[in-house]
Amino acid sequence: MIVESSLTETRRIVRAARGRGVLIGCIPTMGALHQGHVSLIEVAQWECGFNVATIFVNPTQFGPHEDFTRYPRTLDADVEMCRAAGADLIFTPPVSAMYAESAQTIVRVGGLAEVLEGSHRPGHFDGVSTVVAKFFHIIEPDRAYFGQKDFQQQLIIRQMVADLDLPVEIMTCPIIREADGLAMSSRNRYLSVAERQQASQLFQTLLLAEKLAAESTLTPPEISRQMADHLSSVAGIEVQYAVIADAVTLKLLQHRSNPAVALLAVKVGSTRLIDNQILRFR
Ligand code: AMP
């Protein structure tokens, strides 16, 4: 496995692999890898002959008061996890190589990027779509692997790829969870022992939504209210949103219809966590 920080060298290595006739897979990450990331690399490795994991804590997707400077950076451990999962190349560019001071271009997706995470984290998805577009141009992958964990993000990337006719297939992989259901996240390491316990209620809330969708006649707004009430009853949790939306458009659902997704964002102490679950209304 190669660890490379140069854009031109990465482009050269990937093009050489493509010349050997194999599919190129790309797994964009911000590092501090866990089993969720590993699962993406493993799927890529099953499907593609040459796989590039990117490790880049992307400054443009963090707000001014967010955790960019203290975001965990664990490159040595990440390299070992990528190697074990079967990545062929890790692309880990410095910020200065990705963003020239003279840069004037951003990639902005419209409606889908303006709701939910977009309204709580202004500018976040501009940073995500811009950096992912840049990775797609540097690596030119056939397939790129994203987690359902960031449900809105994968929809936005799909929209960007469709709108810009980018020749890459977007694959969405299932959420990997801890034993108590907490979705794995690099940010979980910020949680104190007490907060870690409170955070398990996110998954319990999604299970509640799943059960109410399958077994009750409640409408999506009524289920959303129960989700918010459940979360609010946990000391230490501040609800940012707990909603049921159309799983394609992200419009909030008023009536029981599919495809549906329950999405939530909370703060547990000072740590912001998101999670989601596909629902099936009967
Ligand atoms: P990040 O490093 O947080 O930017 O995440 C990189 C990729 O890993 C994104 O596509 C995430 O959706 C995905 N990911 C993060 N956590 C998980 C998880 N628990 N299960 C599956 N995929 C995940």
Side-chain angles (χ1 to χ4, degrees), residues 20 155 168 172 181 187 232 272:
R20 298 195 293 274
L155 283 182
V168 53
T172 303
R187 291 189 167 96
S232 305
R272 191 169 182 283

Side-chain angles (χ1 to χ4, degrees), residues 27-40 54-58 61 71 124 128 145-151 153-154 157 171-178 182-188 274-275:
I27 309 97
T29 84
M30 297 206 299
L33 300 186
H34 49 67
Q35 285 305 312
H37 300 111
V38 166
S39 73
L40 304 184
T54 70
I55 296 182
F56 181 63
V57 185
N58 175 33
Q61 70 188 73
Y71 197 83
H124 167 66
V128 171
Y145 296 81
F146 292 86
Q148 186 199 315
K149 162 80 180 4
D150 295 276
F151 191 86
Q153 171 174 281
Q154 56 87 33
I157 299 298
M171 315 299 286
T172 303
C173 302
I175 302 173
I176 305 298
R177 299 181 177 282
E178 303 284 358
L182 177 64
M184 290 192 184
S185 164
S186 305
R187 291 189 167 96
N188 290 351
I274 58 172
D275 202 350

Side-chain angles (χ1 to χ4, degrees), residues 225-269:
R225 211 163 304 129
Q226 291 216 20
M227 290 169 62
D229 287 349
H230 182 92
L231 285 168
S232 305
S233 72
V234 183
I237 289 190
E238 174 198 322
V239 184
Q240 295 201 334
Y241 59 80
V243 299
I244 297 176
D246 181 297
V248 174
T249 65
L250 290 184
K251 294 218 161 60
L252 297 191
L253 286 180
Q254 300 304 319
H255 306 288
R256 296 170 59 88
S257 64
N258 297 308
V261 59
L263 299 143
L264 48 85
V266 305
K267 281 184 96 170
V268 184

Side-chain angles (χ1 to χ4, degrees), residues 2-278:
I2 308 162
V3 181
E4 186 53 66
S5 59
S6 150
L7 275 68
T8 47
E9 190 56 14
T10 294
R11 202 190 290 274
R12 190 192 65 72
I13 295 168
V14 178
R15 283 190 174 166
R18 174 182 301 285
R20 298 195 293 274
V22 296
L23 283 182
I24 308 297
C26 174
I27 309 97
T29 84
M30 297 206 299
L33 300 186
H34 49 67
Q35 285 305 312
H37 300 111
V38 166
S39 73
L40 304 184
I41 299 171
E42 286 177 347
V43 174
Q45 200 261 328
W46 293 327
E47 295 184 354
C48 300
F50 191 88
N51 291 291
V52 184
T54 70
I55 296 182
F56 181 63
V57 185
N58 175 33
T60 65
Q61 70 188 73
F62 288 79
H65 305 295
E66 294 185 356
D67 54 346
F68 173 68
T69 47
R70 71 176 189 120
Y71 197 83
R73 288 158 172 90
T74 59
L75 186 61
D76 291 347
D78 293 349
V79 167
E80 286 318 307
M81 288 174 86
C82 286
R83 193 194 309 279
D88 298 286
L89 189 153
I90 297 177
F91 177 46
T92 177
V95 170
S96 59
M98 290 297 285
Y99 296 109
E101 276 192 23
S102 56
Q104 303 188 12
T105 306
I106 56 170
V107 178
R108 169 172 297 162
V109 176
L112 272 177
E114 286 159 12
V115 298
L116 302 172
E117 288 301 281
S119 64
H120 283 85
R121 303 183 69 188
H124 167 66
F125 285 124
D126 289 354
V128 171
S129 45
T130 302
V131 80
V132 171
K134 286 167 72 72
F135 285 141
F136 286 176
H137 283 103
I138 296 162
I139 296 162
E140 301 175 314
D142 297 289
R143 290 189 185 160
Y145 296 81
F146 292 86
Q148 186 199 315
K149 162 80 180 4
D150 295 276
F151 191 86
Q152 188 173 5
Q153 171 174 281
Q154 56 87 33
L155 283 182
I156 288 166
I157 299 298
R158 286 173 184 276
Q159 186 74 42
M160 174 185 81
V161 162
D163 292 349
L164 299 182
D165 303 304
L166 301 181
V168 53
E169 192 178 357
I170 302 304
M171 315 299 286
T172 303
C173 302
I175 302 173
I176 305 298
R177 299 181 177 282
E178 303 284 358
D180 66 352
L182 177 64
M184 290 192 184
S185 164
S186 305
R187 291 189 167 96
N188 290 351
R189 63 186 80 193
Y190 298 151
L191 300 170
S192 69
V193 173
E195 289 168 346
R196 171 66 188 77
Q197 205 167 355
Q198 292 153 359
S200 67
Q201 289 307 312
L202 273 70
F203 184 57
Q204 294 305 317
T205 305
L206 293 173
L207 291 181
L208 172 69
E210 191 180 35
K211 188 172 156 63
L212 293 173
E215 296 174 14
S216 79
T217 55
L218 294 180
T219 64
E222 288 165 341
I223 298 174
S224 302
R225 211 163 304 129
Q226 291 216 20
M227 290 169 62
D229 287 349
H230 182 92
L231 285 168
S232 305
S233 72
V234 183
I237 289 190
E238 174 198 322
V239 184
Q240 295 201 334
Y241 59 80
V243 299
I244 297 176
D246 181 297
V248 174
T249 65
L250 290 184
K251 294 218 161 60
L252 297 191
L253 286 180
Q254 300 304 319
H255 306 288
R256 296 170 59 88
S257 64
N258 297 308
V261 59
L263 299 143
L264 48 85
V266 305
K267 281 184 96 170
V268 184
S270 58
T271 304
R272 191 169 182 283
L273 300 177
I274 58 172
D275 202 350
N276 69 83
Q277 170 86 35
I278 298 288

